[in-house]
Amino acid sequence: MALGDSRKILLAHGGGGRLMSRLIQETILPRVRQGDDDMPLTDAAQVTIDASVLCFTTDSYVVQPLRFPGGDIGTLAVCGTVNDLAAAGARPVALSLSLILEEGFSLDMLESILESIGRAAGALGVPVVTGDTKVVEVEAADGLFINTAGIGVKVPGSVLGFDRIQPGDAVIVTGTLGDHGMTILSRRKGMMFETPLESDCAALSPLTCRVLEAVGEAVRFMRDPTRGGLAAVLNEIASGSRCDIEIEETCLPIRPAVRAAADMLGLDVLNVANEGKMVLIVAPEAAEEVLAICRADPLGREAARIGRIGSPGEDGGLVELVTRVGGRRVVQMPYGRDLPRIC
Amino acid sequence: MALGDSRKILLAHGGGGRLMSRLIQETILPRVRQGDDDMPLTDAAQVTIDASVLCFTTDSYVVQPLRFPGGDIGTLAVCGTVNDLAAAGARPVALSLSLILEEGFSLDMLESILESIGRAAGALGVPVVTGDTKVVEVEAADGLFINTAGIGVKVPGSVLGFDRIQPGDAVIVTGTLGDHGMTILSRRKGMMFETPLESDCAALSPLTCRVLEAVGEAVRFMRDPTRGGLAAVLNEIASGSRCDIEIEETCLPIRPAVRAAADMLGLDVLNVANEGKMVLIVAPEAAEEVLAICRADPLGREAARIGRIGSPGEDGGLVELVTRVGGRRVVQMPYGRDLPRIC
């Protein structure tokens, strides 16, 4: 691959697709990991301390614009990291907050973003307990980058992993797809719609904890479809479980305005980032209960069962979409450069 | 203060001095903290989970140049965060690693920095367990920024805090001052010396854990003198303990080349960053044992007792230097813009 061999970082290396996966697997992990450590990659690592199993995760946020309909980089920095803990089956306990500021950045803007952070963390009851602030010269950064790391504790009784996924399991998504990515992108392109787009940026840990407490081990796996969208997450699940996945186009919850914006820009909504959605793989007998719990929560009102896990695939698991007219198409892992700086 | 009132972020806001302290106290904490939470600021927060007391810390690294004699941004990202845990009296358990890369950044350079991270973490036996990668466009960042967060567990028997500091306690530093800051700065200015400068970048947790295991509660407080140097840390200690501090110029371990470089650039070595040193406040009867433990470690060979905690001060604690000729001068909190992007 000519692009991958250019020995330079490309925007696509950060896009959540195939190139990012290669960078992580081939460049980062072999150098940073120790000895025979080959744990699978999940949204949050498990760390055992004394008798407690902790989850630990980190994310840096570089979204542009810093403010968008439905939130800002501060909201995102809390929700994104909390959602990684949620996907790992954890209840968030504490957050760290690290700011990289560009010289000349507006203090008013900073204050407003910090207020978003305080509001989002406060609503969840998860304190920001430690932090750091760096300032770099004009043009050495783009306004503001935020890193949050998070610690959580596993919800008792939850056992999640690719290896728990079985043929016949239901694929559930907690709501509409593509809202965050299309909001950011249409904002950047200056597009206006009759129904304004709004990011779905929200913290899902209260919802996922409720699901895990109710059905426990019947939840096999969870992941939040951020960069790379539903397509990336389903491909990761297919590859991790080595099972095929079949989803139904008619079951996918997508707002008309999001679909219109994606069509206009020639994007596949399946590849577009979400920031307040979770994909759950659930034992079929528990699917209805999980959907009911989701739908009772404002953040899961449009939860839908969108497909099922198929048989173990010959080639490590293939994701197929059954189209509106009954055709089938393969949903590929996005390559990675559709939408830079979406989060 | 005209500068502080300009409603824009200044480089000095990141310098580790008075302006940064104001930004944290007046802008960040009131917005981000919840309710009546007013814990003192330490290098790492304590989080209680079940019966375990964890320490949790974060730092972003923006140093320029990315490689310097004695280390690189990767070494720094491991050592800096480990040292924050060490200062909190913790043994590090796990690290997170988050990269913000500029499009076009050299993969060779990235690989070499990742190898430094793996080497530094491997030497300590502290695994990197979770991570994140973002890529931004050319000129939206300056090559590479790294964030690491760290989790540690408190060394049993250690009780550290400003409130434990008492008049008569010894002030110990584990080695020479100013090496990191003067190395970075002379590299940037293209200065050459007969004795080349080298960063002291190193992880101190093995040393601090050994000290705590040996003398336990006799260690009252620790902090690593990074941005703002010894002057900032001593002023924080004076202000936190409300005691005066007296240090002896003749006792300060400073390499001649560092002193020469600082003189040439008109800098006070006391304000210059270190990345492999710890300041310990220790009960006077334990001071010799602590010095002996430090000096038995290559990283503490030049440890020195540099002063003592004085009486409670009228004005919240003053730091005074007794000069070579017996004069006295006040060591002020640095304002903060001597050395941007030192770490």
Side-chain angles (χ1 to χ4, degrees), chain A residues 7 9 60 98 104 108 133 227, chain B residues 7 9 60 98 104 108 227:
Chain A
R7 307 299 299 158
I9 289 292
S60 288
S98 181
D108 292 329
T133 308
R227 283 179 287 177
Chain B
R7 307 299 298 157
I9 289 291
S60 289
S98 182
D108 292 329
R227 283 179 287 176

Side-chain angles (χ1 to χ4, degrees), chain B residues 68-72 176-187 193 195-202 255 257-258 261 273-277 299 301:
Chain B
F68 44 81
D72 61 25
T176 54
L177 298 170
D179 299 78
H180 177 74
M182 289 318 308
T183 303
I184 298 292
L185 208 68
S186 61
R187 202 27 72 133
F193 299 93
T195 318
L197 298 182
E198 191 168 287
S199 167
D200 58 340
C201 187
R255 283 187 215 292
V258 168
N274 309 275
E275 288 293 343
K277 299 293 149 45
L299 296 178
R301 215 167 28 219

Side-chain angles (χ1 to χ4, degrees), chain B residues 55-192:
Chain B
C55 293
F56 182 29
T57 190
T58 185
D59 260 315
S60 289
Y61 298 86
V62 299
V63 67
Q64 268 300 333
L66 295 175
R67 282 173 177 158
F68 44 81
D72 61 25
I73 189 174
T75 333
L76 203 58
V78 172
C79 297
T81 294
V82 161
N83 288 346
D84 280 349
L85 292 172
R91 182 186 307 283
V93 170
L95 294 173
S96 68
L97 172 67
S98 182
L99 309 173
I100 299 177
L101 290 153
E102 182 186 3
E103 181 185 8
F105 189 70
S106 151
L107 261 175
D108 292 329
M109 176 78 113
L110 177 62
E111 287 173 0
S112 136
I113 288 165
L114 290 166
E115 279 154 18
S116 296
I117 291 171
R119 210 161 31 237
L124 288 165
V126 181
V128 173
V129 295
T130 185
D132 179 51
T133 308
K134 293 291 190 305
V135 182
V136 299
E137 312 87 303
V138 171
E139 296 186 354
D142 192 7
L144 170 65
F145 299 142
I146 299 182
N147 177 281
T148 49
I151 300 179
V153 285
K154 286 284 279 184
V155 175
S158 75
V159 193
L160 304 168
F162 286 134
D163 57 342
R164 297 209 55 248
I165 296 171
Q166 290 169 31
D169 283 352
V171 180
I172 288 173
V173 64
T174 59
T176 54
L177 298 170
D179 299 78
H180 177 74
M182 289 318 308
T183 303
I184 298 292
L185 208 68
S186 61
R187 202 27 72 133
R188 280 194 217 149
K189 306 258 177 193
M191 287 162 58
M192 301 286 278

Side-chain angles (χ1 to χ4, degrees), chain A residues 167-229:
Chain A
D169 283 351
V171 180
I172 288 173
V173 63
T174 58
T176 55
L177 298 170
D179 299 77
H180 178 74
M182 290 318 307
T183 302
I184 298 293
L185 208 68
S186 61
R187 199 31 68 133
R188 281 195 217 150
K189 306 258 177 193
M191 289 163 57
M192 299 287 278
F193 299 93
E194 264 182 64
T195 319
L197 298 182
E198 191 168 288
S199 167
D200 58 341
C201 187
L204 294 170
S205 54
L207 171 57
T208 53
C209 288
R210 226 173 294 132
V211 168
L212 290 173
E213 280 157 9
V215 307
E217 291 193 17
V219 181
R220 321 282 206 195
F221 187 84
M222 294 192 284
R223 185 159 287 178
D224 53 331
T226 56
R227 283 179 287 177

Side-chain angles (χ1 to χ4, degrees), chain A residues 4 6-15 20 23-24 26-28 31-34 37 39 42-62 64 93-108 110-112 114-115 117-119 121-123 125-142 145-147 149-153 227 340-341 343, chain B residues 4 6-15 20 23-24 26-28 31-34 37 39 42-62 64 93-108 110-112 114-115 117-119 121-123 125-142 145-147 149-153 227 340-341 343:
Chain A
S6 72
R7 307 299 299 158
K8 295 230 180 270
I9 289 292
L10 309 172
L11 275 177
H13 277 118
M20 184 164 113
L23 180 74
I24 294 172
E26 295 171 20
T27 304
I28 299 179
R31 289 176 176 80
V32 157
R33 285 221 166 139
Q34 289 163 34
D37 182 356
M39 290 183 298
T42 56
D43 287 294
Q46 292 201 11
V47 181
T48 305
I49 291 180
D50 301 335
S52 313
V53 179
L54 299 184
C55 293
F56 182 30
T57 191
T58 186
D59 260 315
S60 288
Y61 298 87
V62 299
Q64 266 301 331
V93 170
L95 294 173
S96 68
L97 172 66
S98 181
L99 309 173
I100 298 177
L101 290 153
E102 182 186 3
E103 182 186 7
F105 189 71
S106 150
L107 261 175
D108 292 329
L110 177 62
E111 287 174 359
S112 136
L114 290 167
E115 278 155 19
I117 291 171
R119 210 161 32 236
V126 180
V128 174
V129 295
T130 185
D132 178 53
T133 308
K134 294 289 190 306
V135 181
V136 298
E137 312 87 303
V138 170
E139 296 187 351
D142 193 6
F145 300 142
I146 299 183
N147 177 281
I151 300 178
V153 286
R227 283 179 287 177
R341 301 188 63 186
C343 62
Chain B
S6 73
R7 307 299 298 157
K8 296 231 181 269
I9 289 291
L10 309 172
L11 274 178
H13 277 118
M20 185 164 114
L23 180 74
I24 294 171
E26 295 171 21
T27 304
I28 299 179
R31 289 177 177 80
V32 157
R33 285 222 166 139
Q34 290 163 34
D37 183 355
M39 288 184 296
T42 55
D43 287 295
Q46 292 201 12
V47 180
T48 305
I49 291 179
D50 301 336
S52 312
V53 179
L54 298 184
C55 293
F56 182 29
T57 190
T58 185
D59 260 315
S60 289
Y61 298 86
V62 299
Q64 268 300 333
V93 170
L95 294 173
S96 68
L97 172 67
S98 182
L99 309 173
I100 299 177
L101 290 153
E102 182 186 3
E103 181 185 8
F105 189 70
S106 151
L107 261 175
D108 292 329
L110 177 62
E111 287 173 0
S112 136
L114 290 166
E115 279 154 18
I117 291 171
R119 210 161 31 237
V126 181
V128 173
V129 295
T130 185
D132 179 51
T133 308
K134 293 291 190 305
V135 182
V136 299
E137 312 87 303
V138 171
E139 296 186 354
D142 192 7
F145 299 142
I146 299 182
N147 177 281
I151 300 179
V153 285
R227 283 179 287 176
R341 301 188 63 187
C343 61

